[in-house]
């Protein structure tokens, strides 16, 4: 745990200059989560209201709205992926720059076991792996927790008793998984 904390402490300063892009990624993720709840609500109303009333116009409108919302979700996710990739590349580039600057300034030549090409290749691959794992280990879990919280809040607004009942089954699903 201490090693993970030290890792996070060392990598966070690389994210600071890109806080706005990171904030946009989080906001787009939240928008995607909220948009994904819209078709669920529309389909619920479709089943509860439009179909029993046999209102074909309302059914068609609801299906079109679901289709448009799914297109919006795709667009938001696409923009989020572009920003995430750009953020990942910017941070990778900054870490590589700092690493090579330190390597050039290091007069002790600790890298005697590798030739320059091997050292460059190894360091580039390792730095990319560090940034990718940072996204996987820090940013993705935060987005997943936000998604779970939003979904549970939405479920509570629809039916608190069913939500509480469904939450009792979570330990069973975790054990089965």
């Amino acid at each position: 745990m201490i090693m993970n904390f030290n890792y996070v402490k060392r990598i966070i300063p690389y994210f600071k200059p890109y806080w706005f892009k990171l904030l946009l990624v989080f906001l787009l993720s939240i928008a995607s989560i909220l948009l994904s709840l819209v078709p669920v609500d529309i389909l619920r109303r479709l089943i509860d209201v439009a179909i029993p009333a046999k209102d074909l116009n309302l059914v068609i409108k609801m299906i079109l709205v679901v289709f448009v919302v799914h297109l919006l979700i795709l667009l938001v996710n696409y923009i989020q992926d572009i920003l995430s990739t750009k953020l990942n590349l910017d941070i990778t580039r900054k870490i590589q720059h700092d690493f090579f600057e330190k390597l050039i300034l290091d007069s002790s030549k600790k890298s005697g076991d590798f030739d320059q090409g091997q050292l460059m290749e190894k360091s580039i691959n390792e730095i990319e792996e560090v940034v990718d794992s940072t996204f996987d280990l820090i940013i993705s879990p935060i987005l997943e927790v936000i998604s779970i919280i939003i979904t549970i809040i939405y479920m509570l607004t629809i039916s608190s008793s069913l939500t509480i009942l469904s939450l009792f089954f979570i330990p069973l699903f975790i054990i089965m998984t």
Side-chain angles (χ1 to χ4, degrees), residues 9-161:
K9 201 166 73 174
R10 291 187 69 167
I11 201 78
I12 291 295
Y14 287 102
F15 282 84
K16 284 183 182 177
Y18 308 105
W19 67 270
F20 186 72
K21 285 182 187 175
L22 189 59
L23 179 66
L24 280 176
V25 167
F26 279 115
L27 291 176
L28 286 170
S29 178
I30 291 170
S32 176
I33 294 164
L34 292 173
L35 281 171
S36 69
L37 295 175
V38 171
V40 173
D41 193 50
I42 291 174
L43 291 175
R44 181 178 60 87
R45 291 179 189 192
L46 177 73
I47 293 169
D48 291 344
V49 177
I51 293 176
K54 297 180 182 178
D55 188 353
L56 186 60
N57 286 333
L58 186 57
V59 170
I60 291 171
K61 287 178 186 176
M62 288 181 164
I63 291 171
L64 287 174
V65 169
V66 169
F67 180 74
V68 169
V69 168
H70 279 291
L71 288 177
L72 282 172
I73 292 170
L74 286 173
L75 178 65
V76 168
N77 287 340
Y78 179 71
I79 294 169
Q80 178 190 359
D81 287 345
I82 289 173
L83 283 173
S84 244
T85 302
K86 177 83 170 101
L87 179 64
N88 190 325
L89 290 172
D90 289 344
I91 292 169
T92 301
R93 192 176 310 117
K94 176 67 175 142
I95 292 173
Q96 286 173 344
H97 176 268
D98 289 354
F99 174 78
F100 289 123
E101 190 174 88
K102 184 169 180 134
L103 187 66
I104 289 170
L105 294 176
D106 188 15
S107 60
S108 64
K109 304 293 184 199
K110 296 176 191 173
S111 58
D113 296 340
F114 299 102
D115 67 14
Q116 289 179 349
Q118 286 177 324
L119 186 61
M120 292 282 284
E121 179 183 353
K122 185 166 179 56
S123 61
I124 287 172
N125 290 338
E126 293 295 323
I127 290 170
E128 287 176 3
E129 192 66 34
V130 164
V131 175
D132 288 343
S133 65
T134 300
F135 272 80
D136 292 341
L137 295 173
I138 297 173
I139 295 173
S140 294
I142 291 171
L143 292 174
E144 293 300 323
V145 167
I146 291 170
S147 175
I148 290 169
I149 291 170
I150 290 173
T151 303
I152 290 173
I153 290 171
Y154 174 74
M155 289 171 58
L156 284 169
T157 61
I158 298 299
S159 173
S160 59
S161 59

